[in-house]
């Protein structure tokens, strides 16, 4: 089955600890994205990557870091510098063609709770 | 930056047709209009996309007037399982290779029996 997976589904961490959220896709997509969603709100873009070994900050990148060493993987690290990390985190991917609109495919999400 | 405005919530009954309107006054020439559906604690799912006039697929229709400053998502004969948040987005090209989507708060559609 082709798709995008995120793990774990639920994650609990103590305040001040860094935590890494996993995102893997086997759709052969070039572009990958990380979003954050707070209760009753829309999605906000944290980071995105157009190609391996390249990534760009989104609208709310402070306190987060990413890497894109492999096409299939785009892990997100929530650092202790992120002031309000408790949220629902969504990873997505798209074909990333040079022109036109590409549908984004979303993973099931990781709900992070910082205690 | 093309921003969208849509109602916060709508109520409907099973079997009715539901129309959700979205305004996007600053839409750019190359932008497409796309709708996503999101169930609680799940990632959004693509429903339909269009550029102008009317687009129809197996789940919905999208009506876009000539000026493209608004669009209407039409869901025929909704069921309880259509209860979800519906997002209207205007796709932006960034760097020519990646879609930087701007999600608003969406419209919460509540379908009642």
């Amino acid at each position: 089955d082709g798709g995008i997976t995120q793990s774990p589904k639920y994650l609990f961490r103590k305040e001040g600890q860094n935590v890494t959220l996993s995102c893997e896709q086997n759709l052969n997509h070039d572009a990958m994205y990380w979003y954050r969603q707070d209760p009753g709100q829309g999605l906000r873009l944290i980071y995105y990557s157009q190609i391996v070994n390249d990534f760009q900050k989104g609208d709310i990148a402070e306190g987060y870091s990413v890497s894109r060493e492999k096409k299939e993987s785009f892990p997100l690290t929530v650092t202790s510098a992120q002031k309000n990390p408790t949220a629902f985190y969504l990873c997505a991917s798209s074909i990333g063609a040079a022109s036109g609109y590409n549908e984004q495919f979303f993973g099931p999400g990781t709900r992070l709770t910082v205690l | 930056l093309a921003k969208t405005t849509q109602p916060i919530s709508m109520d409907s009954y099973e079997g009715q047709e539901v129309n959700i309107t979205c305004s996007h006054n600053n839409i750019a020439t190359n932008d497409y209009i796309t709708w996503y559906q999101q169930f609680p604690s799940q990632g959004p799912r693509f429903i339909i996309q269009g550029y102008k006039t009317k687009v129809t697929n197996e789940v919905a229709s999208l009506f876009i007037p000539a000026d493209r400053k608004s669009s209407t998502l039409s869901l025929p004969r909704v069921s309880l399982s259509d209860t979800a948040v519906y997002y209207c987005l205007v796709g932006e090209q960034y760097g020519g290779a990646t879609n930087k989507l701007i999600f608003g708060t969406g419209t919460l559609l509540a379908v009642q029996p």
Side-chain angles (χ1 to χ4, degrees), chain A residues 2-114:
Chain A
I4 181 164
T5 59
Q6 293 183 243
S7 61
K9 190 171 179 62
Y10 298 96
L11 189 56
F12 297 88
R13 278 295 180 269
K14 291 182 179 179
E15 192 172 345
Q17 288 183 334
N18 291 356
V19 60
T20 297
L21 281 59
S22 166
C23 178
E24 304 278 331
Q25 54 98 0
N26 60 4
L27 300 167
N28 200 33
H29 286 171
D30 285 319
M32 297 187 74
Y33 314 77
W34 273 105
Y35 294 89
R36 168 188 172 131
Q37 187 173 34
D38 293 286
Q41 303 296 315
L43 283 68
R44 291 184 291 168
L45 183 64
I46 305 173
Y47 268 98
Y48 63 100
S49 168
Q50 300 180 41
I51 200 167
V52 174
N53 292 322
D54 178 73
F55 49 83
Q56 308 292 332
K57 291 182 179 180
D59 300 318
I60 54 165
E62 185 176 350
Y64 299 98
S65 66
V66 293
S67 63
R68 186 84 187 279
E69 298 176 1
K70 298 187 299 182
K71 187 175 186 178
E72 304 79 21
S73 179
F74 191 41
L76 173 75
T77 297
V78 184
T79 74
S80 56
Q82 167 50 232
K83 301 221 183 306
N84 195 12
T86 294
F88 187 48
Y89 290 87
L90 286 157
C91 180
S93 69
S94 67
I95 295 174
S99 63
Y101 173 82
N102 305 136
E103 174 186 346
Q104 289 193 14
F105 294 81
F106 285 82
T110 292
R111 190 167 298 280
L112 172 65
T113 302
V114 175

Side-chain angles (χ1 to χ4, degrees), chain B residues 11 55 88 92:
Chain B
D11 293 322
V55 179
C88 165
E92 292 190 39

Side-chain angles (χ1 to χ4, degrees), chain B residues 2-5 21-28 32-35 62-65 67-72 88-90:
Chain B
K3 183 182 171 184
T4 61
T5 303
T21 298
C22 176
S23 78
H24 26 78
N25 291 318
N26 296 324
I27 189 169
Y32 282 73
I33 299 153
T34 312
W35 287 79
L62 179 59
F63 299 92
I64 305 169
D67 66 5
R68 304 201 326 125
K69 292 184 184 299
S70 67
S71 59
T72 299
C88 165
L89 298 95
V90 174

